Amino acid sequence: MINFRQSLAILSGILSLLALFFFPLGEINGEAISVWDDSGLTAFAVVSLLASIAVILNLLKGLIADLVMVILPHVGAWIMLARLDVADQNLTSGFWCLVLSAWLMAWILVDQLSAKKTKTPTAKRFYNIVVPILFGVWLLLLWELVVRGFQVPTVLLPPPSMIGARFMASTDILWADFQQTFLKAVLIGYVLGCGSAFITAILIDRSPFLQRGLLPIGNLVSALPIIGVAPIMVMWFGFDWQSKAAVVIIMTFFPMLVNTVAGLSITSSIEKDMMKTYAASYWQSLIKLRLPSALPFIFNALKINSTLAMIGAIVAEFFGTPIVGMGFRISTEVGRMNVDMVWAEIAVAALAGTAFYGIMNVIERACTFWHPSFRSSR
């Protein structure tokens, strides 16, 4: 019975065979060239074919299999990236067969690492980090190879190398935009939005009247379109970060409100009766029983809002801002056709949002270590 990994190896081997013996590598000045004309690609194709056969026959196991699958596809990708620098060439089917073969080898590596049964939490944490990194690296490699290999206009989609070069050359501008958008609008709006929603949830829990009156209003506010709210906030609070923080407050308020109310209501009747037998007051019961039980819901809202806040602030900057900020830079650089700068700003926003989400996740683990979902993962 052929398993999934062997199926990938069969496909990789077939693609290497096609590149070696059937398909041309490309054309230079109208003259066809084969893989055999490039010693680096020839070596990669032959070794890839042999490695595929070894995987199919279960000859590669353990650490040796990991080392082969780490080295082979990445060396092949480096050789193919170097081939892209050759002038006046048109790469054809043979080259793309090798690209797909290398990608399948990397897929086999990821599958091997994902299937490993670790004995220590450190090893498990290591593989949990390495697998997403490998996936991201190959996403960038395929992006680079496809864009440059097919000669996609940079106005439509620049390669990662071009975006990285612009990123390194514009760190001062990117830092100023990051300060304006994230450190001011996002963080302040996030704290005020989540904090006010949390306090409102406590008031709603305390008063059934507010529960019937405020929740529908909160639902109505959450349905307001951001492109309609942002210009109004600019008119109310000005062009600086305050209006963007106001938009963030509106976007983060309702998820925090709903999740906190739901978390406070999850406590069972038996637990509430137990607190009553101890003559606990409402606030004692809230702090010692109900809030701890609601923490998974609260952190769920905090994690959702960590990405919503960034989106809200950037979109709000499209409707009026000083000459600094991520949204301002994206809108102006698109008009100038500086798409590499736009992607550099997108990269900064993605990194900031991911880091923010990760920080919330770490804090959640520290505060809710007792939750079954975290205990079972140890």
Side-chain angles (χ1 to χ4, degrees):
M1 185 70 179
I2 297 176
N3 59 32
F4 178 69
R5 206 171 299 162
Q6 290 171 319
S7 301
L8 294 177
I10 291 172
L11 290 175
S12 178
I14 291 173
L15 290 168
S16 297
L17 278 174
L18 291 174
L20 282 169
F21 298 107
F22 296 97
F23 292 155
L25 178 65
E27 296 179 352
I28 296 181
N29 296 324
E31 183 179 349
I33 56 173
S34 69
V35 173
W36 297 98
D37 296 321
D38 188 308
S39 59
L41 290 178
T42 301
F44 167 71
V46 171
V47 175
S48 178
L49 178 59
L50 294 175
S52 299
I53 295 172
V55 172
I56 295 168
L57 299 178
N58 284 322
L59 299 178
L60 286 178
K61 296 179 181 179
L63 181 61
I64 295 177
D66 293 341
L67 289 175
V68 170
M69 291 305 164
V70 166
I71 296 172
L72 179 59
H74 296 92
V75 170
W78 178 78
I79 295 172
M80 285 180 278
L81 286 172
R83 181 71 204 185
L84 292 175
D85 294 329
V86 177
D88 300 324
Q89 68 174 344
N90 180 29
L91 298 171
T92 55
S93 52
F95 179 82
W96 298 114
C97 283
L98 293 181
V99 170
L100 291 175
S101 177
W103 171 63
L104 290 171
M105 284 292 170
W107 193 347
I108 293 172
L109 171 64
V110 171
D111 186 66
Q112 286 179 180
L113 297 180
S114 301
K116 283 189 177 295
K117 296 180 180 179
T118 56
K119 297 181 180 180
T120 62
T122 303
K124 183 177 181 180
R125 197 175 300 115
F126 171 77
Y127 287 118
N128 287 341
I129 294 172
V130 168
V131 171
I133 290 175
L134 284 173
F135 186 87
V137 166
W138 269 93
L139 184 65
L140 294 176
L141 285 173
L142 289 174
W143 180 354
E144 182 82 15
L145 288 166
V146 169
V147 169
R148 291 177 59 190
F150 285 109
Q151 300 177 2
V152 177
T154 57
V155 173
L156 297 179
L157 184 63
S161 58
M162 184 178 178
I163 297 170
R166 175 53 72 99
F167 187 100
M168 298 305 297
S170 307
T171 51
D172 53 342
I173 297 175
L174 295 173
W175 173 247
D177 293 340
F178 174 79
Q179 286 181 304
Q180 176 72 14
T181 302
F182 187 82
L183 298 183
K184 294 180 180 178
V186 171
L187 287 184
I188 294 176
Y190 180 86
V191 171
L192 292 178
C194 293
S196 60
F198 179 80
I199 295 172
T200 304
I202 299 296
L203 295 175
I204 287 175
D205 180 76
R206 183 68 170 160
S207 172
F209 167 75
L210 293 177
Q211 186 173 6
R212 285 188 286 267
L214 280 181
L215 277 180
I217 296 176
N219 190 16
L220 175 65
V221 172
S222 69
L224 295 176
I226 185 174
I227 59 173
V229 173
I232 296 174
M233 295 298 105
V234 170
M235 288 169 39
W236 286 3
F237 299 103
F239 286 90
D240 210 346
W241 60 266
Q242 292 87 347
S243 58
K244 318 310 175 289
V247 173
V248 173
I249 291 171
I250 294 173
M251 290 193 67
T252 57
F253 184 85
F254 186 70
M256 187 67 178
L257 177 66
V258 171
N259 277 275
T260 305
V261 170
L264 291 174
S265 63
I266 200 174
T267 309
S268 65
S269 301
I270 296 176
E271 292 170 322
K272 294 177 182 177
D273 291 340
M274 182 189 69
M275 295 301 291
K276 290 179 181 178
T277 60
Y278 292 135
S281 66
Y282 170 82
W283 296 107
Q284 289 175 324
S285 177
L286 178 70
I287 295 172
K288 296 182 179 181
L289 172 65
R290 301 177 67 203
L291 275 181
S293 299
L295 282 179
F297 290 83
I298 294 172
F299 277 105
N300 185 48
L302 290 173
K303 290 189 291 185
I304 292 172
N305 286 340
S306 66
T307 53
L308 280 180
M310 177 66 75
I311 295 171
I314 291 175
V315 173
E317 286 181 343
F318 278 75
F319 298 92
T321 185
I323 54 173
V324 65
M326 294 183 186
F328 164 80
R329 195 74 54 197
I330 290 172
S331 61
T332 54
E333 296 300 333
V334 163
R336 298 172 182 172
M337 295 296 179
N338 294 330
V339 185
D340 53 345
M341 187 63 181
V342 173
W343 279 98
E345 289 284 357
I346 292 173
V348 171
L351 290 173
T354 302
F356 197 11
Y357 184 94
I359 291 170
M360 289 296 107
N361 197 39
V362 170
I363 296 174
E364 179 186 17
R365 282 181 173 270
C367 295
T368 60
F369 58 90
W370 47 266
H371 197 264
S373 62
F374 293 130
R375 291 205 309 266
S376 61
S377 63
R378 292 183 178 181

